[in-house]
């Protein structure tokens, strides 16, 4: 790594990131290269942003073309791509109206405003939000208030009042928390940062039923698990659930910053003129690239490819688990997967990086996989070979340590 670059960042940037010691200079497909020319297999894809891999030729083509015509125009005016993109998102999600923003956290903020406005029109005291323990919805203040991990909230409290947290897939908790004062139930169909935990069919369907009975909105955060990541346009579609409000982001514009809030017709009316807005959201450049991203998903049959490759990858991870007792569980769906270890996962991620495989450590003990959706079986096999080497090395190191040291690691 270029030491001078690291030193410059330490002098000039607010130190909010514990960066890994790697300078990425270019990428193509499922690969990236560092500043020394070393090649890495990228199984993180910008935290699920680069869903079609790096520098997909169709995205690069429209990006270059549009950048030479019109990059930004105020939302005071029309441009050629926002309405067609909204129409395509409506088609694949079965929602009614769309608001474009710049990120997932911004989308959650808008969804919370929509829920509060909806609740207030029903009754003044209807403002409570039910969310999940272990959830993650973003780092802005409203999104953070609804994030069910105290480590993210503690330094910024008091936050937005009225949020209740319930345990994942616990129906008793859910039924006790939702009442006449609930304006929204906010859920990730698959918790991403929390370690890749799936909601059960019964839990999600019960949440939808209770929300409807109490005149609350069901808000689904599919920022990470949506747009093909699980082999469907939405992770919730496998359960036949259509929410009142849906939030998308991450891969929507193929690497450019973009989010979207989608709502049912009668719910969307609760945000009227002047109640919400954005300077950069839904600009011509991002909208045109997003349209191309969605076209690639459809025309290149990416969803079926994800289901096939994801099933193969999960099978290989389960076989890896059978050989390595330190793996407690394999979790996830499609190409959103995780290994849960009996120890901190960061050392495993660092060892894999040394061998040319980029992974992610999350929630302490989970190794998270968010590879590009264009991943193929040969690259899965390559990643499994590297993981095998890393886990064998970690096992040998553990065996050579005294029992007291091994206990401390756990």
């Amino acid at each position: 790594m270029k030491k001078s670059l690291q030193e410059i960042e330490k002098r000039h940037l607010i130190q909010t990131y514990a960066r890994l010691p790697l300078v990425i200079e270019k990428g193509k497909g499922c690969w990236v290269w560092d500043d020394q020319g070393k090649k890495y297999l990228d199984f993180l894809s910008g935290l699920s942003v680069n869903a079609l891999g790096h520098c997909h030729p169709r995205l690069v083509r429209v990006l270059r073309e549009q950048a030479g015509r019109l990059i930004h125009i105020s939302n005071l005016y029309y441009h050629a791509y926002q309405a067609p993109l909204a129409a395509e998102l409506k088609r694949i999600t079965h929602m009614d109206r769309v608001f474009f923003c710049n990120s997932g956290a911004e989308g959650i903020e808008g969804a919370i405003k929509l829920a509060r406005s909806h609740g207030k029109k029903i009754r003044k005291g209807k403002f409570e939000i039910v969310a999940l323990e272990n959830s993650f919805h973003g780092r802005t203040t409203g999104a953070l208030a609804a994030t069910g991990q105290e480590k993210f909230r503690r330094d910024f409290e008091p936050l937005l009042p009225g949020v209740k947290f319930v345990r994942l897939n616990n129906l008793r908790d859910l039924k006790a928390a939702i009442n006449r004062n609930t304006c929204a139930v906010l859920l990730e169909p698959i918790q991403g940062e929390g370690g890749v935990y799936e909601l059960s069919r019964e839990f999600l369907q019960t949440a939808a039923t209770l929300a409807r009975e109490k005149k609350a909105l069901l808000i689904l955060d599919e920022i990470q698990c949506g747009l093909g990541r699980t082999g469907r346009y939405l992770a919730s579609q496998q359960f036949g659930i259509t929410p009142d409000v849906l939030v998308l982001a991450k891969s929507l514009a193929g690497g450019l910053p973009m989010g979207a809030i989608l709502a049912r017709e009668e719910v969307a009316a609760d945000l009227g003129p002047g109640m919400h807005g954005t300077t950069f959201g839904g600009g011509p450049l991002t909208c045109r690239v997003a349209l191309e991203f969605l076209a690639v998903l459809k025309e290149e049959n990416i969803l079926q490819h994800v289901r096939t490759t994801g099933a193969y990858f999960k099978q290989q991870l389960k076989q890896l688990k059978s050989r390595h007792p330190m793996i407690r569980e394999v979790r996830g769906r499609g190409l959103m997967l995780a290994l849960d270890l009996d120890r901190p996962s960061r050392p495993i991620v660092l060892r894999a990086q040394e061998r040319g495989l980029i992974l992610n450590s999350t929630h302490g003990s989970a190794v998270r996989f968010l590879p590009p959706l264009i991943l193929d079986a040969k690259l899965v096999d390559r990643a499994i070979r590297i993981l095998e080497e890393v886990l064998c090395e970690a096992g040998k190191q553990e065996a050579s340590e005294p029992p007291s040291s091994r206990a401390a690691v756990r």
Side-chain angles (χ1 to χ4, degrees), residues 28-30 45 50-56 59 254 372-374:
K28 185 174 183 181
C30 295
S45 59
N50 300 309
L52 296 179
H54 297 274
C55 300
H56 190 282
L59 300 190
L373 306 185
I374 59 172

Side-chain angles (χ1 to χ4, degrees), residues 141-247:
T141 53
L144 194 59
T147 288
Q149 298 187 57
E150 199 270 339
K151 66 182 180 181
F152 292 116
R153 300 194 313 267
R154 69 168 69 99
D155 293 322
F156 309 103
E157 293 173 333
L159 292 164
L160 187 75
V163 181
K164 296 179 179 180
F165 295 106
V166 301
R167 288 171 290 177
L168 178 76
N169 293 331
N170 189 303
L171 293 177
R172 180 179 295 180
D173 276 11
L174 186 68
K175 292 173 181 178
I178 300 174
N179 57 48
R180 65 192 298 267
N181 294 324
T182 305
C183 71
V185 182
L186 173 58
L187 306 171
E188 299 164 275
I190 304 177
Q191 293 182 337
E193 194 282 334
V196 190
Y197 287 94
E198 293 185 73
L199 268 62
S200 70
R201 177 185 296 271
E202 185 180 15
F203 187 86
L204 187 52
Q205 290 179 340
T206 301
T209 299
L210 291 173
R212 185 168 56 252
E213 289 175 355
K214 301 299 182 182
K215 297 182 180 180
L217 302 184
L218 177 64
I219 303 174
L220 293 187
D221 174 347
E222 296 228 17
I223 292 165
Q224 187 173 130
C225 63
L227 297 173
R229 178 56 54 185
T230 65
R232 297 177 183 270
Y233 282 115
L234 303 175
S236 54
Q237 287 174 337
Q238 65 178 309
F239 301 134
I241 297 293
T242 300
D244 300 297
V245 181
L246 171 70
V247 181

Side-chain angles (χ1 to χ4, degrees), residues 69-86:
R69 298 184 64 184
L70 185 66
I71 294 176
H72 172 76
I73 191 72
S74 167
N75 276 308
L76 295 174
Y77 309 99
Y78 295 93
H79 65 73
Y81 306 108
Q82 193 171 122
L85 177 58

Side-chain angles (χ1 to χ4, degrees), residues 87-151:
E88 181 62 10
L89 285 174
K90 285 173 57 177
R91 184 188 71 81
I92 65 176
T93 64
H94 309 297
M95 303 297 285
D96 296 320
R97 292 196 178 267
V98 185
F99 178 90
F100 292 111
C101 54
N102 305 288
S103 68
E106 188 179 327
I108 295 294
E109 293 287 338
I112 290 173
K113 286 178 66 177
L114 183 54
R116 286 284 176 90
S117 173
H118 176 82
K120 190 173 183 179
K121 288 180 180 178
I122 296 172
R123 196 181 66 260
K124 187 176 180 180
K126 193 175 181 64
F127 66 90
E128 293 180 355
I129 296 169
V130 174
L132 289 182
E133 292 180 2
N134 197 48
S135 60
F136 184 84
H137 297 290
R139 298 177 187 272
T140 49
T141 53
L144 194 59
T147 288
Q149 298 187 57
E150 199 270 339
K151 66 182 180 181

